Amino acid sequence: MTTPEVFRYAGWSAYLSAAATIVGFVTLIVFFSVGGPFGTINDISSSILALSLLPLALALYLLLRPCAALLSLIALIIGICAMLAASILQILLVLRVVKSELTLVAVPATFGVVGVWLLLNSYLALASRTLPSGLAWVGMVAGVGYILVILGFLLGGQQHPLTAVGGLTAVIGYPIWAIWIGGLLLSGILIT
């Protein structure tokens, strides 16, 4: 697969990840309000989100490797491991192989690591001027949001203020970042 093909696939995957984030947020709110199948829909959308990040991880690695070979490789490895773990845990939950108690902290933790991946890639993009600075800043804010969610969970569970602040930061920032980078990847202007 050539770099333009990876970028094109990653661009569409970025759009899918933005949609999965929004669907996941809405279904989570509805689930906590009325219950029903919305928890399962949220779990499925979280799995789709995690899987749709994989092409983005590869595209960002290809984009940032010339500027920061080792750090971009570390980000790629961290990201892929967290994305696969999040998706596998959510799929196992949907299939009722594991109970929600197991995933209650584990899934937010994996997405916290995804936040580290997003933060690191966005920092590298800003430092190397590989991507627009506004996009890099939005990525860093969204990455911090994901990290704050797991910090909130660890400090006080779902009710901790950091969980809510981080969740809102991620659910607003990430789709903006994903749509923006998706458009850039699909436009072809990032191919050197």
Side-chain angles (χ1 to χ4, degrees), residues 14-71:
Y15 288 158
L16 178 60
S17 71
T21 299
I22 294 166
V23 168
F25 178 68
V26 170
T27 56
L28 187 65
I29 290 172
V30 174
F31 174 69
F32 284 127
S33 300
V34 299
F38 296 101
T40 301
I41 296 168
N42 173 268
D43 296 335
I44 293 168
S45 68
S46 293
S47 182
I48 291 170
L49 167 60
L51 289 173
S52 64
L53 289 170
L54 292 168
L56 273 171
L58 180 57
L60 285 170
Y61 169 69
L62 293 173
L63 190 64
L64 297 169
R65 180 179 55 188
C67 307
L70 181 60
L71 284 177

Side-chain angles (χ1 to χ4, degrees), residues 2-22:
T2 65
T3 299
E5 290 170 330
V6 170
F7 282 16
R8 187 171 50 256
Y9 187 64
W12 288 111
S13 294
Y15 288 158
L16 178 60
S17 71
T21 299
I22 294 166

Side-chain angles (χ1 to χ4, degrees), residues 7 63 132 183-192:
F7 282 16
L63 190 64
L184 289 174
L185 288 165
L186 288 170
S187 73
I189 63 172
L190 296 177
I191 298 169
T192 54

